Amino acid sequence: MSYSEKIRALIVDDEELNRRDLFLALKSYPNWEVVAQSNSVNTARSVVNEVPVDVIFLDIRMPQESGLQFADELSKRDSPPRIIFVTAHSQHAIDAFRLHALDFLLKPVADQHLQQAIERAQKMLELRQQANLAQALRSYLHSEAQEKLAQRAYWQQ
């Protein structure tokens, strides 16, 4: 794993036992940090607005608002967190992937499936980190070139 930063995760599930199980499973991945757990979309929304989150483990069927609605809302952000749906309802898989879900895990979550989702998330975040670095380098090189042109123009006047 070459992603250089701690991966910040949010667990959103209305069932405490499911949140606890996933939290304990994620503890075995040293470069993952669960920044918060939420029992509703509303509180998850508050967390995402206050704390940087890279990956959200999101249940679909919850009181008041569904995880699908929240994922749709998040997908409209400039830099949305990656979504891994964790649900007992397989019939929502197509809708989840239409919202660009990174993965779709069925409860109870098998260790092997969680590991695959973790690896996929790490790869996606690494690609985003590389793209951001490349963009920063291009911007720096462009500004350096502009500065050299400005210096030449000054000396030629």
Side-chain angles (χ1 to χ4, degrees):
M1 175 18 230
S2 59
Y3 186 73
S4 62
E5 300 174 14
K6 277 254 188 206
I7 297 172
R8 299 165 307 241
L10 168 62
I11 300 171
V12 184
D13 195 316
D14 59 319
E15 297 177 30
E16 184 178 352
L17 182 60
N18 291 329
R19 288 192 313 271
R20 184 178 53 87
D21 287 348
L22 189 52
F23 175 79
L24 292 173
L26 288 171
K27 284 184 81 130
S28 65
Y29 296 90
N31 53 326
W32 283 72
E33 174 186 9
V34 176
V35 295
Q37 298 181 48
S38 173
N39 64 357
S40 72
V41 166
N42 194 39
T43 55
R45 184 178 292 112
S46 296
V47 170
V48 170
N49 288 333
E50 295 174 17
V51 178
V53 174
D54 299 308
V55 178
I56 299 177
F57 291 87
L58 183 59
D59 190 12
I60 290 180
R61 286 193 180 173
M62 290 184 286
Q64 286 88 40
E65 272 183 278
S66 82
L68 290 170
Q69 290 169 316
F70 186 45
D72 183 46
E73 175 186 320
L74 291 170
S75 72
K76 295 175 176 127
R77 292 181 174 214
D78 288 336
S79 184
R82 303 298 185 239
I83 304 292
I84 298 174
F85 283 103
V86 184
T87 184
H89 307 283
S90 62
Q91 70 268 24
H92 297 293
I94 292 172
D95 292 329
F97 285 110
R98 283 188 183 131
L99 293 170
H100 307 288
L102 183 61
D103 215 325
F104 190 92
L105 302 174
L106 286 174
K107 297 176 188 175
V109 177
D111 291 340
Q112 176 187 2
H113 295 151
L114 178 61
Q115 181 177 352
Q116 290 170 342
I118 294 284
E119 289 171 1
R120 184 174 292 128
Q122 290 173 174
K123 287 177 186 171
M124 291 297 293
L125 291 168
E126 182 178 336
L127 289 172
R128 182 169 70 186
Q129 185 181 50
Q130 289 172 353
N132 289 343
L133 177 60
Q135 182 179 0
L137 285 173
R138 281 191 299 274
S139 177
Y140 172 76
L141 292 173
H142 179 72
S143 66
E144 285 287 306
Q146 292 295 340
E147 188 175 314
K148 285 182 181 180
L149 284 173
Q151 287 175 353
R152 277 192 213 133
Y154 173 79
W155 289 112
Q156 290 174 356
Q157 290 179 359

